[in-house]
Amino acid sequence: MPTIQEELDRRQLLYSLLMPVMNIYVPGLDKGKALYFLFVKTESTTPGGLPARPVLTSYYNSHHFRHRPFDPYNNYTSPTAAILCPDSHQSMYAQMLSGLLHRLEVLRVGAVFASGLLRAIRFLQLHYRSLAADISDGSLSFDQVSDPSIRSAVAAFLRPDPALADLLIRECGSGDWAGIVTRIWPNTKYLDVIVTGAMAQYIPTLEYYSGGLPMACTMYASSECYFGLNLRPMCRPDEVSYTIMPNMGYFEFIPCDESTAAAPATAVDLTEVEEGKEYELVITTYAGLYRYRVGDILRVTGFHNAAPMFRFVRRKNVLLSIESDKTDEAELQAAVERASKLIEPYGASVVEYTSQAYTKEIPGHYVIYWELMKRGEGERETPGAEILDMCCVETEEALNSVYRQSRVMDRSIGPLEIRVVRPGTFEELMDYAISRGASINQYKVPRCVTFSPIIELLDSRVVSTHFSPRPPTWMPQRHSLT
Ligand code: AMP
């Protein structure tokens, strides 16, 4: 995405509004620190010679961030040197260590997206012993972090603290990860993390790890343009609306009305959108994008004074299609949520999922990859094959009527398949994406995979496969579906 120097000022402006809004709802955030896991990537160059880097990397590397004046409301535990280190292991290690050392001062814990915060928790699970050893000795192990600027930044506050090391071993070594965030950072008031849109599926996992802390979705932004902020950041995730700031770019909205799908709808301005209606966001940016369709669908939920507030509904693109059926991200997510209710009584949940339209056989069928997590011990044993077969049926029941018609009447779609992959698979997927240039901050698990190396990776981690034993229900509707 093209960007220009002055865009940084606009982004900075949006960032600078977040804490004044938050302060209305959660007072006292200037009396402690924020544990945020923030990352950069190394810069690359386009064939035309322009520097290219993820949007957040460019912000963290900017003068605005590097030389920001001290602000008690944005006092991060992570040393800037750790945030700016492109080696993600060293960066994460140092950020986690710093967060642990300042644990009683931490008032909020976060990352840009929910997936980033879960990755940090996973890192803690894998590395708490080494972190505890470093805390106990008061020295940063060279094999974990060799970057000299991080080492000197951490040396400024790392002192031997055997009591903290013991606490870490006790809390992390017990095998019980429920509420780990508040057990280690007991003064945390909320999680600062985006859990709207594609991130919504992480809410139960984050609730589990945080013991039910509120989750604040503060802003809505993209590489193309920053859009706006949530003026009620402590509301429930399903109630989040973002108010677009008209000075960030020029915004237009294409109405998403099924009945006008044949004739392209005319875009309306920010002042003309109507409450309750859905629109596709179109932007014209200072950096040069002209009437660019971001691909996000938003619903107007109300107004703040005269400014419309928008709920993020979904990315526009259809995810899965075997023939005339079209399943989008929101439908797939709802179907996975519904099916996963069947495994809840077993203390299990779907921590990650993705899908593919499997068309190597005729008829093709949907394949959903599930990574499961067992929550509590002592609950009923893991869900067996019969239950997982029923999850396939339940997923199909939740899909739209065109899909079910194709399954029942036309038989043009085969039985839905769930492939359960072993724990850690989706982290490997993320590692793979990062190794190919994705940014940790901006990484989002693809809800549909088409790239063969990724499909191969997923398939090589499958531990069991399950098919719908019967077709879903479908009743003919009065209006024919074309
Ligand atoms: P990227 O270009 O990688 O920064 O991704 C930008 C996209 O992420 C947006 O167009 C949205 O689809 C999604 N996104 C960003 N912020 C939010 C948010 N607060 N809620 C839901 N989705 C978001």
Side-chain angles (χ1 to χ4, degrees):
M1 296 301 155
T3 193
I4 50 176
Q5 188 66 32
E6 66 176 77
E7 192 61 22
L8 284 169
D9 299 335
R10 266 184 289 274
R11 290 179 195 160
Q12 176 64 41
L13 173 71
L14 201 157
Y15 283 127
S16 71
L17 293 174
L18 301 180
M19 288 314 286
V21 172
M22 189 54 92
N23 192 41
I24 299 172
Y25 300 93
V26 188
L29 291 173
D30 55 334
K31 307 287 186 298
K33 290 179 183 277
L35 166 53
Y36 282 128
F37 295 95
L38 306 175
F39 302 92
V40 297
K41 285 194 69 73
T42 36
E43 198 172 286
S44 56
T45 311
T46 67
L50 289 172
R53 55 195 165 197
V55 60
L56 294 170
T57 296
S58 101
Y59 178 71
Y60 301 142
N61 272 310
S62 72
H63 181 86
H64 294 73
F65 183 81
R66 293 168 87 111
H67 302 291
R68 60 196 186 282
F70 176 76
D71 171 2
Y73 286 94
N74 283 303
N75 187 0
Y76 301 139
T77 53
S78 298
T80 303
I83 295 173
L84 297 182
C85 174
D87 178 326
S88 61
H89 179 90
Q90 296 192 49
S91 173
M92 179 77 92
Y93 193 92
Q95 295 195 53
M96 185 61 82
L97 185 69
S98 311
L100 292 167
L101 292 166
H102 295 106
R103 75 179 193 103
L104 296 176
E105 293 160 79
V106 169
L107 301 182
R108 54 196 200 274
V109 173
V112 180
F113 287 117
S115 49
L117 184 53
L118 287 174
R119 190 172 165 94
I121 295 171
R122 178 84 188 128
F123 188 92
L124 182 63
Q125 291 178 335
L126 294 174
H127 299 284
Y128 71 89
R129 283 192 191 82
S130 170
L131 288 158
D134 284 3
I135 292 171
S136 180
D137 298 350
S139 71
L140 180 56
S141 22
F142 196 81
D143 51 348
Q144 299 289 355
V145 178
S146 56
D147 182 296
S149 54
I150 302 186
R151 292 187 65 80
S152 75
V154 170
F157 50 81
L158 178 57
R159 304 281 174 274
D161 189 344
L164 175 57
D166 286 349
L167 178 132
L168 196 57
I169 296 286
R170 220 175 29 250
E171 295 296 350
C172 299
S174 71
D176 176 14
W177 289 88
I180 192 71
V181 173
T182 37
R183 283 196 272 133
I184 294 192
W185 295 281
N187 299 318
T188 312
K189 298 181 186 217
Y190 66 94
L191 301 182
D192 190 334
V193 79
I194 292 175
V195 287
T196 41
M199 299 292 149
Q201 56 116 11
Y202 300 108
I203 295 172
T205 315
L206 280 178
E207 277 173 345
Y208 170 75
Y209 285 128
S210 73
L213 281 176
M215 294 168 212
C217 302
T218 56
M219 63 186 279
Y220 169 42
S222 74
S223 308
E224 295 89 336
C225 179
Y226 280 24
F227 305 125
L229 71 169
N230 177 3
L231 293 170
R232 290 196 301 260
M234 297 308 282
C235 69
R236 287 204 338 247
D238 57 345
E239 289 176 345
V240 171
S241 291
Y242 300 100
T243 303
I244 288 188
M245 289 167 51
N247 51 334
M248 303 305 289
Y250 191 80
F251 299 98
E252 292 174 276
F253 300 86
I254 301 177
C256 303
D257 182 353
E258 297 286 320
S259 61
T260 58
T266 321
V268 298
D269 282 327
L270 192 58
T271 51
E272 290 166 327
V273 296
E274 293 173 43
E275 186 165 350
K277 292 205 169 153
E278 290 188 4
Y279 298 90
E280 181 186 342
L281 180 61
V282 178
I283 55 169
T284 296
T285 66
Y286 288 93
L289 293 176
Y290 177 72
R291 293 193 134 181
Y292 173 93
R293 298 168 79 155
V294 177
D296 290 352
I297 305 294
L298 311 175
R299 183 184 311 125
V300 182
T301 52
F303 292 85
H304 176 79
N305 299 328
M309 301 194 296
F310 296 90
R311 183 148 305 157
F312 182 93
V313 180
R314 61 187 164 89
R315 288 292 288 190
K316 192 180 68 181
N317 297 346
V318 167
L319 272 192
L320 290 167
S321 179
I322 297 288
E323 38 107 73
S324 60
D325 60 300
K326 289 179 189 60
T327 298
D328 66 31
E329 203 172 297
E331 287 172 314
L332 181 64
Q333 175 145 336
V336 170
E337 269 169 23
R338 177 165 156 183
S340 63
K341 295 257 180 308
L342 296 187
I343 58 171
E344 266 174 22
Y346 297 84
S349 63
V350 179
V351 272
E352 275 296 8
Y353 70 91
T354 188
S355 63
Q356 65 156 311
Y358 189 80
T359 48
K360 285 189 188 144
E361 282 163 15
I362 296 174
H365 66 276
Y366 287 12
V367 174
I368 323 273
Y369 294 90
W370 274 13
E371 187 177 314
L372 300 180
M373 183 173 85
K374 187 95 165 67
R375 286 171 194 277
E377 297 307 320
E379 305 190 59
R380 283 156 68 183
E381 69 289 12
T382 22
E386 258 171 48
I387 297 295
L388 288 160
D389 290 353
M390 287 316 291
C391 289
C392 298
V393 177
E394 202 63 11
T395 309
E396 294 199 293
E397 294 287 9
L399 292 174
N400 62 46
S401 124
V402 180
Y403 172 90
R404 285 177 288 117
Q405 179 181 18
S406 310
R407 276 279 286 129
V408 176
M409 292 300 292
D410 313 342
R411 296 179 185 243
S412 50
I413 303 180
L416 183 139
E417 181 183 2
I418 290 178
R419 297 184 186 168
V420 178
V421 293
R422 72 174 189 227
T425 301
F426 278 83
E427 212 189 341
E428 289 182 56
L429 203 71
M430 181 173 185
D431 288 337
Y432 181 79
I434 289 166
S435 74
R436 289 176 51 92
S439 132
I440 299 188
N441 300 298
Q442 289 166 246
Y443 176 78
K444 301 156 200 85
V445 173
R447 291 295 164 229
C448 178
V449 289
T450 48
F451 188 46
S452 339
I454 294 209
I455 294 178
E456 275 160 32
L457 189 154
L458 286 165
D459 283 339
S460 68
R461 306 293 187 273
V462 169
V463 288
S464 64
T465 55
H466 310 271
F467 287 91
S468 278
R470 63 167 172 81
T473 43
W474 179 76
M475 296 293 281
Q477 300 197 338
R478 269 193 301 137
H479 305 290
S480 69
L481 291 155
T482 49

